[in-house]
Amino acid sequence: MTNENPIPQLYSELEVCAHDLSTLAARCNLLTEILVDCDSLPQTQPVCRCLAAYLNAFSAELAKSMTDFRVLDENEIPPSHKQEWLLDSTEAQCNYCRALNHVLLVSHFDREMLPHLTGLLHDIAHTMLADMTVVRIH
């Protein structure tokens, strides 16, 4: 049997215990904070590989858990269920993070662009984490 995506197996934390979406989003956000401090491609590569594993785990958990969540306005959320909602943009944000991370892993780009790419990746991951933990007022 061939494993199509061996990256998650490299990180024992993902193998040892199950994580909820907010924990996975927090790990992704932390890894993007580390990426922002990287100033060369050799520094970014291992962090990007680890981030790819967490983004894949987040994406898989999001797909698996989508039926457990519903999109509600702030006034529709019962006080006992404040954590049981999900903005409809979370899947798109995860996909944007995965795409930017892929660019950082495989593309050759001007070194001057590195802070912009990692900054954008961090901003999207930070928004994704905020969506997991804060109710937005529309």
Side-chain angles (χ1 to χ4, degrees):
M1 179 185 290
T2 333
N3 188 350
E4 293 178 16
N5 193 3
I7 292 174
Q9 292 178 353
L10 299 174
Y11 304 99
S12 60
E13 183 185 38
L14 290 172
E15 291 267 320
V16 172
C17 52
H19 295 286
D20 62 15
L21 286 170
S22 60
T23 301
L24 290 168
R27 296 290 196 282
C28 291
N29 189 58
L30 176 63
L31 288 165
T32 61
E33 288 175 2
I34 294 168
L35 273 175
V36 168
D37 291 334
C38 294
D39 58 5
S40 70
L41 193 58
Q43 289 177 330
T44 64
Q45 294 294 310
V47 180
C48 285
R49 285 191 294 274
C50 186
L51 179 58
Y54 277 94
L55 286 169
N56 288 338
F58 182 86
S59 181
E61 187 63 29
L62 183 64
K64 184 172 73 174
S65 301
M66 204 53 118
T67 57
D68 295 340
F69 294 91
R70 49 183 201 265
V71 178
L72 297 173
D73 290 330
E74 183 180 16
N75 59 354
E76 294 177 330
I77 301 173
S80 63
H81 295 91
K82 288 285 184 185
Q83 299 292 328
E84 295 183 22
W85 63 277
L86 184 68
L87 292 177
D88 57 352
S89 63
T90 304
E91 185 177 23
Q93 291 166 347
C94 181
N95 288 334
Y96 293 151
C97 286
R98 291 173 71 201
L100 275 169
N101 191 59
H102 182 75
V103 166
L104 287 169
L105 273 170
V106 301
S107 296
H108 298 284
F109 48 84
D110 185 350
R111 183 180 168 152
E112 292 177 13
M113 293 305 295
L114 182 62
H116 303 290
L117 291 170
T118 57
L120 180 58
L121 180 56
H122 174 264
D123 288 349
I124 297 169
H126 184 76
T127 301
M128 190 170 69
L129 174 61
D131 287 352
M132 294 282 107
T133 57
V134 177
V135 175
R136 288 191 175 180
I137 300 172
H138 300 294

